[in-house]
Amino acid sequence: MTITLSVIKADIGGYVGHSESHPDVLAKADENLAKAKGEGLLIDYHVTKCGDDLQLIMTHQQAEDSEKIHKLAWGTFVDCTQVAKKLKLHGAGQDLLSDAFTGTVKGLGPGVAEMEFEERAAETIIIFMADKTSAGAWNMPLYKIFADPFNTIGLVIASNMHSGFTFEVHDVKEHKKITFNAPEEIYDLLVFIGAPSRYMVKAVYHRETGEIAAASSTQRLSLMAGRYVGKDDPVCIVRSQGQFPAVGEVLEPFTLPLLVEGWMRGSHHGPLMPVAIVDSTPTRFDGPPRVTSLGFQLSGGKLVGPRDMFADKSFDNARQQASDIADFLRRHGPFEPHRLPLEEMEYTTMPQVARKLEGRFIDLD
Ligand code: 13P
Ligand code: 13P
Ligand code: MG
Ligand code: MG
């Protein structure tokens, strides 16, 4: 059975500030998707949130980039924005950069990760969602999952993974893509994906079978809007078990609270803290950035689950480390490298402030 899994997300209003989603907004999204399921457009769905981002997880047979599915998501975000406006939530409609739907949500503000595949006898799926960070945050975790034998022992001892994986990398500034084969091209791969604000792992494929293994959202709000409107807060889908890394191998990279860009006003580096859905409430300095993960087994496209994977106690150390790193970084206040480098700031919030002082700069002798 060919199934498409679409994860489409948007921040359409925060409660309180940018720290959480309001239950009425989630209820409205649930109502819309239940209707679409009743009408047969969706096989199944799960509505959730990561911080102030509304997450629509949907299975269907309309393939990727389906106008019908994107329209459903867009309409749901518009309806939920109405709820957010009524409650006067913060930044109602924040990520909806257009007044009109144009056949796809791509380029309109929401983030999208989609993949189509033949459902396996046991189809294990992990969906990662982040808040207070940028697209590109998945680069290091995806590298570790699919190319690092110190993370994924399956690359070494499982014969069905030994041939490695192919990484599709997007240059979001020049609008180009390139593919690299791991393991033999990992140095070439790392030159690019080590700079995640520009080069992002869009998808990963199994080398031998060509099967899709992972897909991520690479939409950058600031590039779309030409100014800072909020962070991308990306999502990522990973297939697991069998010819793909085991669940524990997929989750293992998040034991490192890696430094990502985002946090307060989207303008800082901070540790990515793995948390249960209920704890995706970035509060301290609007953070630190959070990552959540839901696991499902698919059965005829039905989402059996979710299991909240980061609720597990084995991530307590990573959370404590993230808090310790947060303490350390916060003491740098407005200084780099806590604050983002100049190049990033020039793209976002700095020009407005700098413009005011333009006339005060005088030439050096
Ligand atoms: P089980 O024997 O419990 O299925 O585990 C196999 C495995 O791949 C663990 O990572
Ligand atoms: P969001 O992108 O999650 O809305 O956060 C924006 C922000 O400015 C937080 O300080
Ligand atoms: Mg917000
Ligand atoms: Mg957000």
Side-chain angles (χ1 to χ4, degrees):
M1 188 175 182
T2 307
I3 298 290
T4 304
L5 174 60
S6 299
V7 182
I8 307 185
K9 54 77 49 185
D11 176 345
I12 52 81
Y15 160 73
V16 169
H18 291 282
S19 68
E20 171 65 305
S21 300
H22 194 281
D24 290 1
V25 168
L26 297 178
K28 181 70 201 167
D30 200 276
E31 187 187 313
N32 281 24
L33 298 199
K35 188 161 166 276
K37 184 177 169 181
E39 289 164 356
L41 178 59
L42 297 182
I43 300 175
D44 206 0
Y45 72 90
H46 180 73
V47 171
T48 186
K49 60 92 190 181
C50 182
D52 62 358
D53 288 84
L54 173 60
Q55 311 283 346
L56 311 179
I57 299 168
M58 302 172 283
T59 54
H60 54 88
Q61 292 192 297
Q62 307 291 320
E64 293 172 35
D65 289 317
S66 155
E67 181 165 348
K68 282 186 193 164
I69 298 299
H70 282 222
K71 194 172 178 198
L72 169 66
W74 182 260
T76 301
F77 293 141
V78 169
D79 290 351
C80 290
T81 297
Q82 290 312 316
V83 176
K85 281 188 172 155
K86 214 165 145 196
L87 295 167
K88 294 182 85 172
L89 298 185
H90 182 68
Q94 174 179 290
D95 287 0
L96 308 188
L97 305 178
S98 167
D99 291 331
F101 178 68
T102 54
T104 173
V105 297
K106 288 181 180 165
L108 303 185
V112 187
E114 291 185 295
M115 57 163 73
E116 186 181 45
F117 50 80
E118 233 9 78
E119 188 180 283
R120 295 171 292 164
E123 186 64 61
T124 304
I125 298 280
I126 306 286
I127 296 170
F128 292 104
M129 298 158 275
D131 190 29
K132 304 295 177 276
T133 188
S134 293
W138 310 122
N139 281 10
M140 193 203 281
L142 286 172
Y143 175 80
K144 287 188 174 175
I145 295 166
F146 292 105
D148 179 5
F150 279 74
N151 180 88
T152 299
I153 184 61
L155 295 167
V156 180
I157 62 172
S159 59
N160 57 3
M161 257 193 277
H162 209 73
S163 56
F165 291 86
T166 300
F167 287 71
E168 180 183 319
V169 175
H170 286 197
D171 173 348
V172 297
K173 288 198 177 145
E174 289 299 319
H175 213 66
K176 289 180 187 300
K177 67 176 175 181
I178 181 169
T179 56
F180 296 100
N181 285 328
E184 63 269 35
E185 295 184 306
I186 56 170
Y187 300 156
D188 296 326
L189 171 68
L190 287 167
V191 165
F192 294 100
I193 67 169
S197 62
R198 174 163 171 184
Y199 298 97
M200 298 170 193
V201 179
K202 179 69 194 173
V204 181
Y205 298 89
H206 191 277
R207 286 276 292 279
E208 245 169 38
T209 63
E211 286 264 327
I212 181 90
S216 78
S217 66
T218 50
Q219 285 74 27
R220 289 223 67 182
L221 272 169
S222 61
L223 292 180
M224 289 187 259
R227 66 194 155 87
Y228 177 70
V229 286
K231 255 345 198 195
D232 315 321
D233 301 338
V235 288
C236 183
I237 306 169
V238 178
R239 293 172 82 193
S240 175
Q241 302 294 149
Q243 59 173 324
F244 303 116
V247 165
E249 293 167 331
V250 173
L251 301 176
E252 181 68 8
F254 297 95
T255 57
L256 170 76
L258 63 140
L259 289 182
V260 293
E261 64 165 74
W263 209 346
M264 174 59 76
R265 298 176 186 276
S267 303
H268 294 79
H269 284 122
L272 188 62
M273 182 191 271
V275 290
I277 299 285
V278 65
D279 294 322
S280 65
T281 50
T283 306
R284 178 184 178 184
F285 199 55
D286 287 4
R290 304 298 156 104
V291 55
T292 58
S293 70
L294 290 184
F296 296 93
Q297 295 291 142
L298 289 194
S299 175
K302 292 256 181 285
L303 289 157
V304 179
R307 276 221 57 236
D308 191 333
M309 307 311 284
F310 289 148
D312 191 69
K313 290 197 180 321
S314 57
F315 289 92
D316 284 352
N317 268 0
R319 292 188 264 272
Q320 186 56 52
Q321 273 178 24
S323 285
D324 292 343
I325 294 164
D327 281 339
F328 172 76
L329 284 172
R330 279 302 304 124
R331 288 165 66 189
H332 292 74
F335 284 81
E336 298 177 8
H338 182 28
R339 197 179 80 177
L340 291 190
L342 201 49
E343 191 203 343
E344 285 298 316
M345 298 297 291
E346 280 169 341
Y347 249 99
T348 53
T349 46
M350 199 158 159
Q352 295 98 297
V353 182
R355 210 171 295 130
K356 271 196 263 178
L357 301 169
E358 245 164 23
R360 305 238 323 251
F361 278 97
I362 52 175
D363 292 336
L364 294 173
D365 295 337

